Amino acid sequence: MTRVLDVKGLTGGYGSVQILYGIDMHIDEGEFVTIIGPNGCGKSTFIKAIFGIADYYEGQVSYKERRISGMRTDQLVNLGIAYVPQVNNVFPSLSVEENLQMGGNSLSGNILSQRIERALDMFPDLQSREHDLAASLSGGERQMLAISRALISDPNFLLLDEPTAALSPLYQQQIIERIDALREQGITVLIVEQNARLSLARSDRGYIMSNGKVVHTGDAKDILSDPEIGKYFLGTHDD
Ligand SMILES: Nc1ncnc2c1ncn2[C@@H]1O[C@H](COP(=O)(O)OP(=O)(O)O)[C@@H](O)[C@H]1O
Ligand SMILES: [Mg+2]
């Protein structure tokens, strides 16, 4: 089994503001792994530090046994890693088609159209909207567009930051199902979620972060059924 991502002792943050305090995490080929944790604990920063957007200080990050710590985003994309940010992940003033084209700037026209067609097959809701502005899409459709755009680079490993945040329950379900279906195309998935139950239900394993550290890891089903974790991290307490 190939280890797709192997993170050891990762520290990082923004300039001199340290957010991550020694993260250990791994993902094997074909796995679907969810990271959960309270707002502000550093989940987005962790994904950004891997993808070369937040600052990497120390530790080892390997992708398929190749050291990628501190690499630039464009190099990571060339290696087969794609990232869907939590916010501002589409260009509202461009059409759906143009947004998808932006995901494959360096591809030849032929390959680009094939990739766009394949991405639209995954998200049929977008097919009839191809020439509409992204600004006119619903929240769920926008998220589908953001994921489709990430697929244009034909990634092996997809990092998704809260893809179901602020969506209706129906869209949440649909998005998680579609993400799960990406595994059939051999894509390994790392997802950060606040709506953790839906995502964990589809995941192999989970990690819980708190204050810039991993505080727990285990099988997704064990995390889901643990009453203490439910109380503190999955919103089962009355509030
Ligand atoms: N660009 C930034 N510069 C400085 N601090 C930031 C920046 N972005 C986020 N932070 C801080 O980093 C911490 C972790 O944020 P984040 O990784 O977004 O948490 P999460 O995704 O778990 O909600 C927060 O205290 C947040 O205020
Ligand atoms: Mg976040």
Side-chain angles (χ1 to χ4, degrees):
M1 164 113 13
T2 310
R3 186 136 295 190
V4 170
L5 184 75
D6 201 7
V7 179
K8 292 202 176 93
L10 175 67
T11 58
Y14 303 94
S16 61
V17 182
Q18 184 167 0
I19 306 289
L20 305 172
Y21 292 88
I23 307 265
D24 295 325
M25 191 174 292
H26 71 270
I27 303 166
D28 290 327
E29 187 141 41
E31 273 197 311
F32 183 147
V33 169
T34 298
I35 302 174
I36 65 174
N39 236 331
C41 74
K43 303 180 299 296
S44 295
T45 306
F46 172 68
I47 291 196
K48 288 185 200 166
I50 291 175
F51 202 64
I53 301 171
D55 294 322
Y56 153 82
Y57 303 162
E58 281 185 315
Q60 281 234 29
V61 183
S62 305
Y63 172 68
K64 298 186 174 173
E65 293 178 356
R66 175 181 185 148
R67 204 182 153 132
I68 59 163
S69 332
M71 269 193 190
R72 287 198 320 266
T73 296
D74 58 315
Q75 297 173 307
L76 298 170
V77 170
N78 285 335
L79 289 176
I81 305 177
Y83 161 68
V84 181
Q86 183 173 353
V87 290
N88 301 329
N89 54 18
V90 302
F91 298 98
S93 60
L94 298 182
S95 71
V96 166
E97 186 181 31
E98 287 162 343
N99 267 278
L100 292 172
Q101 286 164 349
M102 299 285 287
N105 279 332
S106 59
L107 299 173
S108 79
N110 233 347
I111 294 180
L112 182 57
S113 352
Q114 282 170 16
R115 298 261 176 92
I116 290 178
E117 202 172 308
R118 198 175 60 178
L120 290 173
D121 280 345
M122 287 295 300
F123 294 96
D125 309 47
L126 295 177
Q127 259 159 9
S128 57
R129 310 294 306 271
E130 230 182 309
H131 303 292
D132 295 344
L133 292 185
S136 72
L137 300 179
S138 70
E141 288 165 343
R142 274 192 202 208
Q143 206 53 251
M144 291 179 188
L145 176 57
I147 297 169
S148 304
R149 199 182 60 201
L151 295 177
I152 302 295
S153 63
D154 196 24
N156 297 121
F157 180 40
L158 188 57
L159 302 161
L160 296 150
D161 196 348
E162 298 209 28
T164 73
L167 300 184
S168 67
L170 182 65
Y171 268 132
Q172 290 178 14
Q173 187 83 39
Q174 278 187 12
I175 297 267
I176 292 293
E177 276 170 17
R178 305 276 167 81
I179 292 168
D180 194 17
L182 295 175
R183 297 210 274 180
E184 287 154 27
Q185 299 179 18
I187 299 177
T188 303
V189 177
L190 177 63
I191 184 164
V192 161
E193 265 299 350
Q194 295 257 314
N195 301 307
R197 284 185 182 283
L198 268 180
S199 183
L200 281 170
R202 299 265 171 178
S203 296
D204 300 296
R205 292 184 299 112
Y207 287 88
I208 301 178
M209 280 182 67
S210 178
N211 294 320
K213 291 181 182 154
V214 170
V215 292
H216 182 83
T217 178
D219 280 350
K221 59 178 182 321
D222 295 336
I223 291 177
L224 272 174
S225 61
D226 185 314
E228 283 297 301
I229 293 174
K231 192 165 147 200
Y232 292 110
F233 296 104
L234 297 170
T236 46
H237 59 299
D238 298 333
D239 57 353

